[in-house]
Amino acid sequence: MKLADNKATLSFSNGTPSIDLPVYQGSVGPDVVDIRKLYGQTGMFTYDPGFLSTASCQSAITYIDGDKGELLYRGYPIEQLATQCDFLETCHLLLYGDLPNTQAKADFTKRVTNHTMVNEQMQFFLRGFRRDAHPMAIMTGLVGALSAFYHDSTDINNPEHREISAIRLIAKMPTLVAMAYKYSVGQPFMYPKNELSYAGNFLHMMFATPCAEYKVSPVLERALDRIFILHADHEQNASTSTVRLCGSSGTNPFAAIAAGVACLWGPAHGGANEACLNMLEDIQRQGGVAKVAEFMEKVKDKNSGVKLMGFGHRVYKNYDPRAKLMQETCKEVLAELGLENDPLFKLAMALEKIALEDDYFVSRKLYPNVDFYSGIVQRAIGIPTGLFTAVFALARTVGWIAQLNEMISDPEYKIGRPRQLFTGSAHREVKPLAKR
Ligand code: ACO
């Protein structure tokens, strides 16, 4: 961290002496005021529920400029990564700091593909779930359970354990998501095929059966790979912060990632793609494009509790760059499958057009986020709605691990322990039961 030339001075109206706080500069983006000594010097905490103004760590992985609508992984724009690299190259970039050359790519791909199978015992664990269990309930359980199967990579303070658990998690997530899907439809699990690409293998494990030859469509494979790249990391979002906080206690990497999966499930976060598709299907059932204006009135009515899912973002106050790329992919996939006139896509375009012109959305800087189109793409590929967030979790796993490993390697890292503004009862005495 680089100390800025200026410092912040905090003064109080009650005569408490003012204090100087150091200011640090990042390589790009806003400076931060270092408040670590505030409590020691003043006996006061800062108050920032929802972390609207708090940088919880320093990080060199992902940079977002929400006003510009810019997303960089290790400095590279998401638009270039999504069009010139594949997901495993992106994983290498996030984990190790740069894109691989040809040899490093081949080595990394080999290491990942060597770990795509899961311990055979995992399927017995999976079989304990109800067939209609939500895939994210299953994923939370299965990812957490990995720590019971891979005892040789659970020491978060050991760099070799961190490395092997990272490779295992990236390699096994597609297998677990596909197993959760196959279990829900009562089909046999398909073992991974290592001659396929990462995305191609996932399509194979999802849609192949032992009784017929399955050919991976290059367009769908590329679309899925792009979904993975676009979801791979997003700096200190809710699930990543959860992984860091969970991992800060020294728990094993599988448990920390399982915590991230649980957080991602919520509809305000990764669950938005599922919620968005459900919303589109609801409007479609009620009359489709003709009902858009009526639906928008509900969205704008604060008492209705209805939100336009797939719109708005804590950080982006401009078009989410991932949404643009996803819209392109959506068009390609629908064309490949002969679904150009897909009513849900048309509906999404109509909603987007109205929202981008409506003062309610314009004044609040609400734009489509990545989830607005990713559900339509996944549905076209044949992925059921309930599995969307699990696919997001699969893709985000590399980001979670890169962030977790960055935290553990940081000499300044401490267990995360926020404080509070206490508003409950002050000290009081317990009365005997008969007198309460
Ligand atoms: N529809 C209608 N109104 C909205 C929406 C929306 N999707 N999003 C925000 N608003 C309104 C809020 O009601 C608020 O209005 P007000 O100022 O009149 O009270 C204003 O816009 C600001 O929104 P906040 O909720 O304060 O913004 P915050 O940063 O807390 O929330 C969030 C961001 C959670 C993403 C929100 O926009 C939302 O719920 N969107 C829908 C769910 C969604 O798509 N989530 C995916 C996020 S991306 C991801 O996780 C991959």
Side-chain angles (χ1 to χ4, degrees):
M1 280 197 300
K2 190 171 152 242
L3 211 52
D5 297 335
N6 59 330
K7 56 185 188 259
T9 303
L10 184 62
S11 58
F12 304 88
S13 57
N14 63 357
T16 307
S18 62
I19 58 160
D20 286 339
L21 298 166
V23 174
Y24 292 107
Q25 287 176 328
S27 39
V28 267
D31 296 349
V32 299
V33 179
D34 180 352
I35 56 161
R36 281 176 291 182
K37 296 203 172 125
L38 182 72
Y39 179 61
Q41 291 182 355
T42 66
M44 275 188 234
F45 298 134
T46 55
Y47 181 63
D48 186 19
F51 303 110
L52 295 172
S53 296
T54 297
S56 60
C57 61
Q58 50 172 314
S59 178
I61 302 174
T62 292
Y63 175 74
I64 304 171
D65 185 326
D67 294 322
K68 272 204 244 162
E70 179 178 65
L71 169 61
L72 310 175
Y73 292 166
R74 304 270 189 196
Y76 297 114
I78 191 69
E79 292 81 0
Q80 292 180 26
L81 293 169
T83 50
Q84 295 174 45
C85 302
D86 67 22
F87 179 64
L88 284 183
E89 287 172 79
T90 308
C91 289
H92 188 286
L93 171 70
L94 290 169
L95 283 178
Y96 307 117
D98 219 334
L99 288 166
N101 60 22
T102 311
Q103 187 57 49
K105 181 178 172 178
D107 291 348
F108 182 68
T109 305
K110 186 158 176 247
R111 256 188 304 147
V112 171
T113 45
N114 271 343
H115 286 277
T116 48
M117 282 200 298
V118 294
N119 187 303
E120 199 68 1
Q121 197 69 15
M122 277 299 266
Q123 45 171 293
F124 300 109
F125 180 71
L126 174 56
R127 285 181 204 281
F129 283 95
R130 288 169 54 132
R131 294 260 178 200
D132 61 355
H134 192 284
M136 286 301 275
I138 297 182
M139 287 307 292
T140 315
L142 290 186
V143 175
L146 289 174
S147 48
F149 289 93
Y150 301 101
H151 291 159
D152 59 346
S153 52
T154 52
D155 179 2
I156 210 164
N157 294 311
N158 180 327
E160 276 169 32
H161 282 215
R162 291 207 296 273
E163 168 67 13
I164 184 71
S165 63
I167 299 289
R168 280 185 170 142
L169 277 158
I170 293 166
K172 294 181 199 308
M173 282 298 272
T175 315
L176 295 179
V177 175
M179 281 171 77
Y181 169 63
K182 288 294 197 192
Y183 183 67
S184 73
V185 290
Q187 288 184 7
F189 303 128
M190 293 300 291
Y191 287 107
K193 248 191 182 173
N194 286 352
E195 81 248 23
L196 296 173
S197 72
Y198 189 86
N201 182 41
F202 179 62
L203 285 168
H204 156 80
M205 290 187 291
M206 285 283 296
F207 301 118
T209 60
C211 44
E213 196 57 38
Y214 176 80
K215 218 173 155 312
V216 174
S217 148
V219 174
L220 302 192
E221 183 182 14
R222 181 68 207 146
L224 199 57
D225 196 72
R226 180 174 278 192
I227 291 181
F228 294 163
I229 294 174
L230 298 184
H231 288 85
D233 194 47
H234 215 227
E235 54 118 308
Q236 309 312 320
N237 56 82
S239 57
T240 302
S241 299
T242 301
V243 169
R244 280 188 179 251
L245 191 58
C246 183
S248 78
S249 72
T251 191
N252 72 75
F254 304 108
I257 302 302
V261 175
C263 177
L264 190 74
W265 191 357
H269 191 12
N273 50 18
E274 179 179 346
C276 181
L277 202 88
N278 288 337
M279 172 192 81
L280 292 173
E281 280 174 342
D282 268 358
I283 304 173
Q284 189 60 27
R285 266 192 298 276
Q286 288 161 28
V289 175
K291 290 284 170 183
V292 163
E294 199 181 303
F295 176 75
M296 285 307 216
E297 286 314 308
K298 271 196 226 146
V299 169
K300 291 192 279 181
D301 173 8
K302 282 285 157 74
N303 300 319
S304 73
V306 177
K307 277 200 165 173
L308 181 55
M309 298 314 285
F311 254 72
H313 197 275
R314 170 60 61 79
V315 183
Y316 292 118
K317 301 302 168 198
N318 200 330
Y319 212 101
D320 178 342
R322 302 168 303 171
K324 274 195 198 121
L325 292 155
M326 196 51 79
Q327 195 199 51
E328 259 174 35
T329 298
C330 193
K331 284 186 184 153
E332 270 167 39
V333 167
L334 295 179
E336 162 76 6
L337 299 171
L339 298 172
E340 290 94 332
N341 293 320
D342 180 65
L344 286 199
F345 182 61
K346 292 229 158 106
L347 183 59
M349 299 271 280
L351 279 169
E352 182 186 348
K353 185 166 183 302
I354 293 183
L356 291 178
E357 287 165 2
D358 190 300
D359 187 55
Y360 174 94
F361 294 92
V362 175
S363 62
R364 289 172 177 78
K365 299 190 175 164
L366 299 171
Y367 292 87
N369 60 51
V370 65
D371 291 325
F372 196 65
Y373 286 105
S374 76
I376 301 175
V377 180
Q378 292 194 53
R379 174 175 154 276
I381 292 176
I383 299 171
T385 316
L387 208 74
F388 290 177
T389 315
V391 172
F392 186 165
L394 177 176
R396 181 55 58 85
T397 295
V398 63
W400 289 329
I401 302 168
Q403 299 270 352
L404 180 65
N405 287 352
E406 181 183 66
M407 178 187 76
I408 305 290
S409 321
D410 183 347
E412 289 196 2
Y413 123 78
K414 287 187 171 23
I415 184 169
R417 177 56 169 95
R419 302 303 301 266
Q420 61 178 6
L421 173 67
F422 182 68
T423 56
S425 174
H427 181 106
R428 53 182 173 161
E429 303 293 329
V430 174
K431 288 184 190 147
L433 188 56
K435 293 196 173 169
R436 275 177 231 157

